[in-house]
């Protein structure tokens, strides 16, 4: 679907965990929503001048009349998002990026998320639930979020926290046995994704990784977001953010 620029009203913006918000935006264009792929993102802005750039945020889920995002407050832009109230306007440009191609995902699937990397996995598990057996692996520092909405769409749920407050103490990569799956789908901090990619490479399991590189333009023009692949540098915002693990150069 061709990216579109829209100014739309906020439906609700609620803090679901410390510094993590769910933002739902009214979007009554049913047919265009259905063409968004899980893993695609929008450039969002709710300010006029500063900060200069819009911020890339993954589509978390959508239905007939709203589109939702999950974001962690990490700087000026997300701090401004956190002040939005129902009825305020927000600018969206998208959908952008390639997203997950759900037609090529089949069989036993491990969806692996680290922290706010859970965001794009929500719509993904919903769409895969009718055609695949999905297990969810989610790792957090301490507070767990976003899982409840996904439980109805997955078979197994494996949670880790670094402080042991919920689930297994440690990193989610320690729970994952990639050889049990036909394919692994992953989004989270780069260090976690590189570990998952290495585990999959060792056992020859295909893995798709959503590489959330720093971005500026979001439309392929500035080359800020490049990823090293075996076929040269690729733009995360255009050829990605979803890449096959086997294509990436892991340093
Ligand atoms: C394709 C894509 C999808 C994304 N989806 C989400 C999402 O669904 N929810 C969400 O909360 N965030 C998401 N992000 C990350 C988000 O865009 C950045 O954290 C953004 O910079 C926040 O803006 P800010 O002004 O609040 O913070 P900034 O002032 O821009 O940055 C705050 C801190 O975060 C660091 N940072 C900036 N961009 C990234 C990045 N891509 N990865 C890691 N650290 C970064 C900066 O170096 C700085 O230390 C996504 C990023 C990309 C590229
Ligand atoms: S953010 Fe500009 S090319 Fe990707």
């Amino acid at each position: 679907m061709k990216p579109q620029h829209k100014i739309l009203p906020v439906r609700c913006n609620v803090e679901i965990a410390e510094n993590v918000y769910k933002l739902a935006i009214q979007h009554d264009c049913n047919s265009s929503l259905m063409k968004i792929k899980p893993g695609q993102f929008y450039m969002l802005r709710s300010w006029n001048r500063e900060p200069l750039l819009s911020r890339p945020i993954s589509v978390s889920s959508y239905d007939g009349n709203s589109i939702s995002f999950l974001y962690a407050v990490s700087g000026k832009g997300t701090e401004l998002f956190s002040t939005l109230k129902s009825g305020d306007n927000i600018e969206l440009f998208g959908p952008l990026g390639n997203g997950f191609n759900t037609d090529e995902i089949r069989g036993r699937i491990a969806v692996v998320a680290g922290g706010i990397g859970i965001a794009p996995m929500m719509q993904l598990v919903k769409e895969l639930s009718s055609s695949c057996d999905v297990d969810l692996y989610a790792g957090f520092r301490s507070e767990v979020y976003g899982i409840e909405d996904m439980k109805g769409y997955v078979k197994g749920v494996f949670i880790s926290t670094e402080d042991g407050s919920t689930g297994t103490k440690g990193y989610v990569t320690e729970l994952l046995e990639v050889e049990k799956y036909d394919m692994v789908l992953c989004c989270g901090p780069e260090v976690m994704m590189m570990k998952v990619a290495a585990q999959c490479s060792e056992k020859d399991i295909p893995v798709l990784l959503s590489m959330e590189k720093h971005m500026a333009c979001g439309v392929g023009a500035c080359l800020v977001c490049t990823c090293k692949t075996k076929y040269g540098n690729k733009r995360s915002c255009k050829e990605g953010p979803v890449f096959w693990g086997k294509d990436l150069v892991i340093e």
Side-chain angles (χ1 to χ4, degrees):
M1 179 185 152
K2 220 172 156 226
Q4 291 175 344
H5 181 260
K6 287 181 187 292
I7 299 177
L8 295 170
V10 168
R11 272 194 149 186
C12 61
N13 186 34
V14 275
E15 190 171 20
I16 59 163
E18 195 182 353
N19 279 329
V20 178
Y21 288 75
K22 181 177 177 175
L23 169 68
I25 296 170
Q26 202 165 309
H27 194 315
D28 53 13
C29 185
N30 205 356
S31 56
S32 72
L33 277 177
M34 297 324 286
K35 288 179 192 144
I36 301 172
K37 281 160 103 184
Q40 287 193 297
F41 65 94
Y42 278 78
M43 297 301 286
L44 301 184
R45 67 186 293 134
S46 60
W47 51 85
N48 287 327
R49 288 178 181 209
E50 291 288 328
L52 184 66
L53 300 168
S54 303
R55 298 300 195 242
I57 302 289
S58 305
V59 174
S60 181
S61 64
Y62 50 82
D63 59 29
N65 46 28
S66 72
I67 178 164
S68 296
F69 300 88
L70 210 64
Y71 63 91
V73 175
S74 56
K76 185 73 187 156
T78 45
E79 201 181 302
L80 288 167
F81 293 152
S82 74
T83 65
L84 287 168
K85 294 186 183 49
S86 173
D88 289 347
N89 279 337
I90 182 164
E91 285 184 52
L92 294 85
F93 182 69
L96 297 165
N98 59 353
F100 289 94
N101 190 357
T102 50
D103 291 342
E104 60 189 14
I105 302 170
R106 287 287 173 271
R108 291 161 305 156
I109 306 298
V111 165
V112 187
I116 198 67
I118 196 83
M121 300 321 210
M122 292 193 179
Q123 188 66 30
L124 182 65
V125 299
K126 269 191 199 172
E127 294 195 16
L128 292 179
S129 64
S130 57
S131 54
C132 302
D133 284 342
V134 182
D135 283 342
L136 173 66
Y137 292 80
F140 299 89
R141 285 215 176 101
S142 178
E143 197 176 1
V144 173
Y145 49 83
I147 301 297
E148 286 309 313
D149 292 348
M150 297 168 83
K151 279 187 175 161
Y153 301 101
V154 297
K155 293 228 150 125
V157 179
F158 304 90
I159 294 184
S160 72
T161 49
E162 286 175 37
D163 64 3
S165 53
T166 308
T168 308
K169 185 171 181 181
Y171 295 117
V172 72
T173 45
E174 291 158 17
L175 301 178
L176 181 66
E177 294 171 81
V178 294
E179 60 276 22
K180 287 171 134 182
Y181 300 98
D182 296 309
M183 202 183 276
V184 175
L185 317 175
C186 182
C187 185
E190 197 159 323
V191 58
M192 182 204 99
M193 290 204 287
M194 292 306 107
K195 173 84 181 133
V196 173
Q199 285 173 290
C200 290
S201 163
E202 200 178 301
K203 304 284 180 185
D204 206 18
I205 306 294
V207 55
L208 283 167
L209 305 154
S210 182
M211 301 295 293
E212 297 193 343
K213 290 281 183 190
H214 288 225
M215 287 185 182
C217 70
V219 293
C222 70
L223 307 186
V224 158
C225 66
T226 53
C227 259
K228 277 192 184 167
T229 79
K230 290 175 185 155
Y231 313 101
N233 283 350
K234 300 285 175 194
R235 298 161 299 179
S236 275
C237 66
K238 203 75 184 170
E239 289 84 26
V242 179
F243 292 95
W244 287 105
K246 66 176 172 46
D247 292 342
L248 292 173
V249 175
I250 298 173
E251 292 167 305

